Amino acid sequence: IKPLPINLRDTEKYARESVINPKILLDAHVIKKLNQPVKILGSGEVKKPLILQSLKVSKTAREKILRAGGKIE
């Protein structure tokens, strides 16, 4: 199954208390099933530290998230 791509610039609108994970994406109707694969892509910028949990992240997105003080768990 191919992961659903989500651009980095769109992640902040889904974050709850700076956290983004599959449950939050499901509640926001971004994904249809909790086990649907997702990959965060590096298009755009992040303005605040985000914590990404249980999501695949591209190399560019990883660098931008970490540079903004965020974490990938």
Side-chain angles (χ1 to χ4, degrees):
I1 298 174
K2 191 173 179 180
L4 174 71
I6 298 176
N7 287 313
L8 193 57
R9 69 175 162 257
D10 298 325
T11 56
E12 287 184 17
K13 66 183 170 190
Y14 303 126
R16 279 198 208 138
E17 297 178 20
S18 298
V19 175
I20 302 172
N21 59 36
K23 173 77 171 104
I24 289 169
L25 294 175
L26 181 68
D27 291 347
H29 304 287
V30 176
I31 59 176
K32 294 179 181 159
K33 295 185 284 184
L34 199 54
N35 63 350
Q36 183 175 351
V38 173
K39 185 167 187 177
I40 307 299
L41 304 179
S43 182
E45 294 298 324
V46 150
K47 295 177 179 69
K48 62 182 182 180
L50 296 174
I51 301 167
L52 275 66
Q53 301 172 327
S54 304
L55 299 171
K56 293 183 182 204
V57 182
S58 73
K59 182 180 176 186
T60 305
R62 177 178 300 274
E63 291 169 358
K64 291 178 179 182
I65 291 163
L66 297 177
R67 193 174 334 129
K71 292 193 287 186
I72 299 166
E73 302 175 342

